[in-house]
Amino acid sequence: MSDLSNYRNIGIFAHVDAGKTTTTERILKLTGKIHKTGEVHDGQATTDFMEQEQERGITIQSAATTCFWKDHRLNIIDTPGHVDFTVEVYRSLKVLDGGVGVFCGSGGVEPQSETNWRYANESEVARIIFVNKLDRIGADFLRVVEQVENVLGANPLVMVLPIGREDDFTGVVDLLTRKAHVWPDPGNPEKFDLLDVPEDMVDLVEEWREKLIETAVEQDDDLMEAYLDGNEPSIDDIKRCIREGTRKLDFFPTYCGSAFKDKGVQLVLDAVVDFLPSPTEVDPQPLTDETGEPTGEVATVSAEEPLRMLAFKIMDDRFGALTFVRVYSGVLNKCDTILNSFTGKTEGIGRMVEMHANDRADLDSAQAGDILAIVGMKNVQTGHTLCDPKNPCTLEAMVFPEPVISIAVAPKDKGGAEKMGIAIGKMVAEDPSFRVETDEDSGETILKGMGELHLDVKVDILKRTYGVDLDVGKPQVAYRETITQEIEDSYTHKKQSGGSGQFGKIDYRIKPGEPGTGYAFSSSVVGGNVPKEFFPAIEKGFKVMMEEGPVAGFPVLDVEIELYDGGFHAVDSSAIAFELAAKGAYRQSMPKAGPQLIEPIMKVDVFTPDDHVGDVIGDLNRRRGMIKDQDAGPTGVRIKADVPLSEMFGYIGHLRTMTSGRGQFSMEFSHYLPCPQTVADEVIAEVKERKANA
């Protein structure tokens, strides 16, 4: 059994373009995993192995790799930075024990870093911070430190100070040891000189060193007392305190460097080993029951415990389906039989592999704390718990955001439909935020995703990886419907045709629910006018009908239905009769309850340089946006607004034109709000036209 205290399961996450993948490359080079560093802008990076990633210079799917540093095993996951692929970050954070947050030295804390940071806080993942690209124009380490405090509300613990700025950046000073690390040769990261602190930095180093020690000793009362009495603790004691504080998320050790120029990455690796927790040091995962409620039990990280694993990612490649799992407790051996607690089915384990980006090495066994991939598992999806058949359990499930944008697709050649169906099926299994459905009226295949780029990449993968050429329709917004008035009504379903007939009478109230509540059914029938056994059928009847609203046929949200009276026939009443009565009641009453169209509103976060603020705000107002907040920073202004999704198509191109290419934005779904009448009329007319042509 390997020693778990030497394991580090870490993720590297950041905003798009902050240099995560380059940092990962340098780590792999330093640990001897690769011998030649690949560059992102040349499309040569190890962890960006998809064609789409190489061309666009962005990471799309998280890639796993394993390497060793100072006798410690590092399982690293490089995650995407783009907002449309946030789901990858979320599910990776779920299974990691620690993370490295990479920030750009000139861009600072950007919108997506904020979302990722929030996810990491929710998952309670300990992190260290690496401020990258200090050789860039406008890079300022201490400004980024300040931003981390103000924007993220975090407490960065500065561990190093940079020597020189921008083009003159040559190395860093380690505050603990008071040694300067200088890299003379940019192409050789292993070679650095340990020098004394430059004279002009001595006072600054002492000032920050004092802050560092003061913050660290707060973790240990005895050390703190000794320090206040004028006794400086040993470096080992300080490191122990920093490790404790990092684990408790009291502060985040902060480093800086330039990954591209090979400066400062060693210290980050040392920090991963020194300060980030091993699998046994993090709080164990809670177990839940089938409904997702905590049972109070936890999956203790130990080889002695029963086997418990979480599938956090599915990937399909040339060898077949790969299921990435994190083992939380117990031991997994080849040929074991495991239970999928979600489906209730058992499966045998064939091949187990350790991943290095796109390559793999076979394993015979794995234990608590490991991250590995299992080949050829069936019916396993992201978020399923795999466990010992004798000790069934469920780990805390993952909750994925709902898709907000959809496009209609059709294969260009007629014979491609089956091929397309198989390919999309594989892709849906891989990405839980990507959905597919068939439009009942037109028979079109509808793809749904988190944003335009997300769907654009999916169409590209279908074309290249699976050889399916598609005709793509224009993006559709996921409108919904609701009601505005309360209504009381009655409906009787009667049918008599030789033999026993059908009879069901219901008296009901339909009223608008609170936003975000969905559909709720309740009954207050007294005195057995409608027997209890028919309630589920009535609820089902209404629920089925909610899929199609009275205005334009979109699903209905936020409606409460109360059954308060009714009548039945001793012979002719049945569950089916009452279900049909509910359906008839829906058709009769919904049009009278003031139905209206509601549209998805996005939480938009725009960054713009100072001189274009007026243009950007004016443009958001034209897009029916509600400005919520403005926050001026050193490099520009961040504007937060709520904007309808239908107005946001093609926004990135428009924003770049307005801000001379310097603007950025991210958006995520927030809530639904009623459409203005003019918009609703357009949508209804469009739906009618589509149905007429179908």
Side-chain angles (χ1 to χ4, degrees), residues 402-407 435 437 446-449 455 474-481 553-557 597-602 644-647 649 669 671-673 675 683 686-687 690:
E402 285 295 311
V404 289
I405 176 171
S406 60
I407 50 172
R435 312 268 171 86
E437 53 191 52
I446 312 284
L447 304 184
K448 295 184 168 187
L455 291 178
K474 73 177 199 304
Q476 300 289 327
V477 178
Y479 290 101
R480 295 287 180 265
E481 297 178 25
F554 292 106
V556 177
L557 290 180
L597 212 57
I598 50 180
E599 61 182 348
I601 306 292
M602 308 303 282
L645 174 66
S646 57
E647 304 285 346
F649 290 130
F669 171 71
H671 53 278
Y672 276 95
L673 273 183
C675 285
V683 172
E686 198 177 295
V687 169
R690 250 204 340 257

Side-chain angles (χ1 to χ4, degrees), residues 5 68 74 86 159 202 241 291 296 310 329 412 460 503 531 537 547 567 672 681:
S5 62
F68 288 84
L74 310 183
T86 333
M159 302 292 294
V202 170
C241 289
T291 56
L310 184 71
S329 64
K412 280 188 176 165
D460 198 33
F503 180 82
E547 290 297 314
Y672 276 95
D681 292 346

Side-chain angles (χ1 to χ4, degrees), residues 531-692:
K532 273 203 176 67
E533 65 255 34
F534 296 138
F535 289 176
I538 301 170
E539 182 178 351
K540 182 181 164 199
F542 278 117
K543 193 169 181 178
V544 167
M545 295 299 283
M546 291 284 169
E547 290 297 314
E548 199 167 308
V551 181
F554 292 106
V556 177
L557 290 180
D558 311 331
V559 173
E560 288 178 23
I561 294 180
E562 181 194 354
L563 177 71
Y564 67 88
D565 206 0
F568 80 110
H569 186 282
V571 178
D572 289 354
S573 284
S574 61
I576 192 89
F578 275 103
E579 188 179 322
L580 290 168
K583 288 180 175 176
Y586 176 91
R587 282 194 284 271
Q588 169 181 300
S589 305
M590 281 301 273
K592 301 184 227 170
Q596 69 174 169
L597 212 57
I598 50 180
E599 61 182 348
I601 306 292
M602 308 303 282
K603 199 157 72 196
V604 178
D605 187 331
V606 186
F607 169 82
T608 163
D610 291 328
D611 33 353
H612 301 288
V613 173
D615 298 344
V616 170
I617 289 179
D619 181 63
L620 286 171
N621 286 332
R622 277 195 295 281
R623 294 172 186 269
R624 303 193 284 118
M626 286 273 297
I627 308 293
K628 288 293 190 51
D629 188 26
Q630 286 185 56
D631 182 17
T635 53
V637 178
R638 294 199 35 204
I639 303 161
K640 296 191 174 182
D642 286 352
V643 190
L645 174 66
S646 57
E647 304 285 346
M648 289 300 289
F649 290 130
Y651 180 63
I652 185 70
H654 203 79
L655 176 68
R656 285 182 181 151
T657 312
M658 275 189 300
T659 58
S660 324
R662 289 155 65 199
Q664 287 180 326
F665 87 107
S666 66
M667 66 177 184
E668 53 189 320
F669 171 71
S670 173
H671 53 278
Y672 276 95
L673 273 183
C675 285
Q677 201 51 52
T678 50
V679 175
D681 292 346
E682 275 177 30
V683 172
I684 294 166
E686 198 177 295
V687 169
K688 277 188 176 153
E689 188 184 337
R690 250 204 340 257
K691 284 185 177 167

Side-chain angles (χ1 to χ4, degrees), residues 36 82 134 166 179 192 207 211 279 304 408 429 462 535 578 617:
K36 176 179 172 290
H82 202 286
L134 279 195
E166 299 177 0
K179 284 287 185 211
F192 59 90
E207 177 196 337
K211 282 188 193 170
E304 312 303 315
L462 278 167
F535 289 176
F578 275 103
I617 289 179

Side-chain angles (χ1 to χ4, degrees), residues 181-381:
H181 293 240
V182 176
W183 285 265
D185 177 5
N188 187 358
E190 286 105 11
K191 186 171 174 288
F192 59 90
D193 301 331
L194 273 182
L195 308 172
D196 290 332
V197 176
E199 280 174 23
D200 57 346
M201 286 182 69
V202 170
D203 295 346
L204 189 67
V205 166
E206 288 309 311
E207 177 196 337
W208 280 96
R209 189 170 192 269
E210 201 169 308
K211 282 188 193 170
L212 163 71
I213 295 173
E214 277 173 12
T215 312
V217 293
E218 284 173 8
Q219 300 292 327
D220 186 322
D221 293 345
D222 297 343
L223 282 180
M224 192 163 173
E225 273 181 38
Y227 181 67
L228 292 173
D229 292 341
N231 300 322
E232 183 177 296
S234 70
I235 284 185
D236 285 346
D237 280 340
I238 300 172
K239 280 188 170 176
R240 188 180 78 245
C241 289
I242 297 175
R243 184 175 181 89
E244 180 62 17
T246 309
R247 190 181 71 77
K248 289 178 10 202
L249 309 191
D250 290 346
F251 46 71
F252 303 95
T254 302
Y255 291 81
C256 64
S258 159
F260 185 57
K261 296 278 172 62
D262 289 313
K263 294 173 182 172
V265 179
Q266 289 93 330
L267 294 162
V268 175
L269 278 170
D270 289 345
V272 167
V273 168
D274 288 343
F275 305 134
L276 288 181
S278 70
T280 49
E281 290 167 315
V282 289
D283 294 337
Q285 277 285 323
L287 298 179
T288 62
D289 57 15
E290 279 87 44
T291 56
E293 291 299 312
T295 56
E297 289 182 56
V298 292
T300 312
V301 179
S302 155
E304 312 303 315
E305 290 272 310
L307 178 68
R308 301 184 181 103
M309 313 186 285
L310 184 71
F312 67 95
K313 178 177 164 73
I314 313 285
M315 196 170 109
D316 204 85
D317 71 355
R318 56 189 191 275
F319 300 108
L322 283 176
T323 307
F324 284 79
V325 295
R326 158 81 195 260
V327 186
Y328 280 110
S329 64
V331 177
L332 176 70
N333 294 311
K334 223 169 159 177
C335 306
D336 278 1
T337 300
I338 53 165
L339 169 74
N340 180 345
S341 64
F342 186 82
T343 58
K345 293 186 173 140
T346 54
E347 267 192 69
I349 300 281
R351 269 184 81 190
M352 303 188 310
V353 292
E354 177 184 286
M355 295 300 293
H356 173 54
N358 208 12
D359 297 325
R360 59 203 59 201
D362 278 289
L363 297 172
D364 288 329
S365 74
Q367 61 167 14
D370 276 331
I371 292 178
L372 67 147
I374 302 172
V375 182
M377 295 193 82
K378 295 184 178 55
N379 308 321
V380 176
Q381 284 177 1

